[in-house]
Amino acid sequence: MSAARYCSHCGTTLGTVQLGGRDRHQCPKCGFVLWRNPAPVGMALIRHEGRLVLIRRAAAPLAGYWAPPAGYIECGESVAEGVKREAREECGLEIALDGLLGVYSQSDVDVLLIAYTARALGGELAAGDDATDVRTFATDELPQQSTPAGGTATDLWFHAAIADCLARWRGAIRKEIPA
């Protein structure tokens, strides 16, 4: 557990108590419990003109790596709405979600990743604030990216989740193309 924090309700220094079999921060004055829950992140593997859209990430995790557009889901929006917003912000495309590709979590990472397959409906492909570049790739030309040396737990987990999503996406595309 992290160092003591202050109660967001009354300002009292939080104490540590056992709740549900775990150490939790709780306010001894008002009883507020500081629950630690993973932040939801939505990601879209977007088909645009028969190719996959990837952005080159500008910031951590995986700064400099190619990845599908992804970002935090905000309060006041559904996961689907957040995924569509992130696609618009990061690559300039309006999208339709086709289906859930996977849900990824790991105990030492404070993120829950929800990945979808999607298709572009409109907009103009352009790198947004969170991207240094945006491109489309055919299934046989996806960038090969090594595991980040010295990366954080989040970097390593996100890299593995992206690799799994890309493999699942390739498999889904192969099933769509008649032999």
Side-chain angles (χ1 to χ4, degrees), residues 41-44 53-72 86-87 89-91 111 113 127-135 137 143 145 148 152 154-163 166:
V41 168
M43 183 167 72
V53 175
L54 296 178
I55 63 162
R56 188 177 294 274
R57 294 184 54 80
L62 296 181
Y65 278 71
W66 289 102
Y72 289 105
E86 285 292 339
E89 290 174 3
E90 293 189 356
C91 70
V111 172
L113 178 65
D129 296 9
D130 296 347
T132 60
D133 196 2
V134 62
R135 293 187 192 162
F137 296 87
Q145 302 179 107
T152 65
T154 302
D155 287 326
L156 299 172
W157 168 77
F158 193 39
H159 183 269
I162 289 170
L166 291 173

Side-chain angles (χ1 to χ4, degrees), residues 26-70:
Q26 184 175 30
C27 178
K29 184 175 179 184
C30 72
F32 169 78
V33 177
L34 178 63
W35 300 101
R36 289 190 60 230
N37 298 308
V41 168
M43 183 167 72
L45 281 81
I46 305 165
R47 280 181 80 176
H48 178 59
E49 299 175 352
R51 298 164 62 90
L52 179 66
V53 175
L54 296 178
I55 63 162
R56 188 177 294 274
R57 294 184 54 80
L62 296 181
Y65 278 71
W66 289 102

